[in-house]
Amino acid sequence: MTRCFSLTAARNRCYKSSFLKAGLRSTITDLQDGTVMHCWVPKTHNDSKPNLLLIHGLGANTMWQWGDTIRKMIPFFNIFVPDLVFFGDSYTTRPERSESFQAQCVMRVMEANSVKKLSLVGLSYGGFVGYSLAAQFSEAVERVVICCAGVCMEEKDLKEGVFKVSDLEEAAEILVPQTPEKLRELLGFAMFKPPPSTLVPSCLLADFIDVMCTEYTEEKKELIRAIPKDRKLSNITKISQPTLILWGEYDKIFPLELGHRLKRHLGDNAHLVVIKGTGHAFVVEKPKESYWHLKSFLVDLQPPPSTPSPIPNN
């Protein structure tokens, strides 16, 4: 039976309207190799502003993940918000599934929009893509923010108990949920204090899955499987750009140890900030604090203090 009303679809329309009101427009770029990329770009490019690329993670589409951030950051930047391959309106017929391929596709979209210099923020899976983009196109990327992305994980970590879910297929079933039960499980992993299951009816979860999680499910699982394949710390390029690493204190998807590992890998060029009392979804759990750190690093061009100061209320 067809649903008469979808709360998820309605909220999606609200986010789309907010993107348009913020001065962005929806674009499609055909890369002429079997890959088509969707990206939100400025309606009018302001040459006096720097460029900021926001790269989403798994889960809800890019509008849901970056809606609040765009509203606050758009006064300072020309903002570009792509759908990664197999998300939103982006797809490919090519067999590649690595974050390196994703990064190349995103950079080709930036080049198609005449973007020569940019800073970027990568959230979770988007952090893997952002890191790869910074490594491959170092001359174009000026500053990097990696949010809760286990870039320095190794394949052996799955067997050595680093992750709460060590079976990759089980993890893929949770990260690409197809039932309300799996989506509740994902919320439990993503948030430090997830909402009680009784407060989130199964019909709302099913609606979210129907709108957000039913397309390219196998391809998304292939993206997840590609992350740890043959991954070794010794093979991970050290990026040279000033880098801010943001991490939730109680992240159960990519444990905080991976944030410390990335900081050690990059050395003095990187700063690790731990958002207290949050999990993987710290942007949702403490949005004001998350934004404060982004603005300090990307707009004010200040490194995080060695001893965090109180976060302003506005």
Side-chain angles (χ1 to χ4, degrees):
M1 181 177 177
T2 304
R3 292 187 180 91
C4 294
F5 176 76
S6 166
L7 186 62
T8 305
R11 188 173 181 184
N12 211 44
R13 289 191 292 271
C14 290
Y15 274 121
K16 183 175 182 179
S17 177
S18 71
F19 271 46
L20 293 170
K21 289 178 180 177
L24 300 179
R25 61 185 176 92
S26 174
T27 65
I28 294 290
T29 304
D30 188 342
L31 302 185
Q32 303 295 321
D33 64 353
T35 305
V36 172
M37 297 291 290
H38 173 264
C39 187
W40 290 93
V41 307
K43 291 179 183 176
T44 304
H45 192 277
N46 187 335
D47 291 335
S48 67
K49 291 183 181 180
N51 301 309
L52 180 63
L53 172 64
L54 301 177
I55 309 177
H56 67 82
L58 298 171
N61 65 34
T62 191
M63 292 188 294
W64 286 52
Q65 295 188 36
W66 291 121
D68 292 338
T69 302
I70 285 172
R71 178 173 54 84
K72 295 175 180 177
M73 297 296 273
I74 207 156
F76 308 107
F77 295 99
N78 297 303
I79 291 184
F80 296 82
V81 195
D83 284 325
L84 295 176
V85 176
F86 298 127
F87 296 87
D89 293 324
S90 298
Y91 63 89
T92 189
T93 58
R94 296 173 64 90
E96 290 93 333
R97 299 293 184 263
S98 68
E99 67 256 33
S100 175
F101 173 69
Q102 293 271 19
Q104 291 162 16
C105 292
V106 171
M107 193 60 200
R108 289 174 69 184
V109 173
M110 295 300 99
E111 291 168 348
N113 283 278
S114 302
V115 174
K116 294 181 172 58
K117 296 286 184 180
L118 60 92
S119 293
L120 66 84
V121 184
L123 180 62
S124 192
Y125 177 70
F128 287 87
V129 177
Y131 190 96
S132 180
L133 196 151
Q136 294 183 70
F137 306 100
S138 58
E139 71 289 346
V141 179
E142 297 176 313
R143 295 173 83 82
V144 175
V145 182
I146 302 295
C147 301
C148 56
V151 173
C152 283
M153 68 173 289
E154 298 185 278
E155 186 173 26
K156 66 179 183 179
D157 289 332
L158 292 170
K159 297 179 180 179
E160 294 182 355
V162 172
F163 299 98
K164 288 189 175 293
V165 179
S166 58
D167 182 270
L168 196 56
E169 293 306 310
E170 182 182 352
E173 291 291 330
I174 296 170
L175 292 169
V176 189
Q178 296 301 295
T179 66
E181 292 72 27
K182 286 298 180 185
L183 184 49
R184 281 196 181 92
E185 199 171 349
L186 176 58
L187 288 172
F189 278 106
M191 304 184 76
F192 175 51
K193 293 182 179 179
S197 58
T198 55
L199 294 183
V200 187
S202 292
C203 61
L204 290 183
L205 297 177
D207 177 56
F208 180 88
I209 291 168
D210 186 53
V211 175
M212 292 288 180
C213 307
T214 55
E215 294 187 337
Y216 299 115
T217 56
E218 185 54 37
E219 288 85 354
K220 289 174 182 175
K221 291 178 182 179
E222 290 171 357
L223 297 177
I224 293 168
R225 295 183 191 115
I227 292 172
K229 185 175 175 56
D230 301 323
R231 198 177 194 96
K232 294 182 179 179
L233 182 59
S234 58
N235 294 334
I236 297 172
T237 303
K238 293 184 179 182
I239 61 174
S240 58
Q241 298 89 344
T243 301
L244 173 64
I245 305 166
L246 294 178
W247 222 278
E249 182 181 13
Y250 300 106
D251 194 323
K252 289 177 280 189
I253 293 180
F254 290 117
L256 179 55
E257 163 53 28
L258 294 176
H260 288 290
R261 191 185 293 180
L262 179 56
K263 165 66 179 115
R264 291 193 297 269
H265 184 65
L266 295 179
D268 294 339
N269 206 41
H271 300 271
L272 171 63
V273 173
V274 179
I275 310 295
K276 301 292 184 181
T278 66
H280 190 70
F282 66 81
V283 174
V284 175
E285 294 179 290
K286 289 195 176 179
K288 289 183 180 179
E289 184 171 347
S290 302
Y291 167 70
W292 186 83
H293 288 298
L294 287 178
K295 182 177 181 294
S296 295
F297 182 74
L298 293 170
V299 179
D300 304 329
L301 305 181
Q302 296 296 317
S306 55
T307 302
S309 54
I311 305 302
N313 291 325
N314 50 29

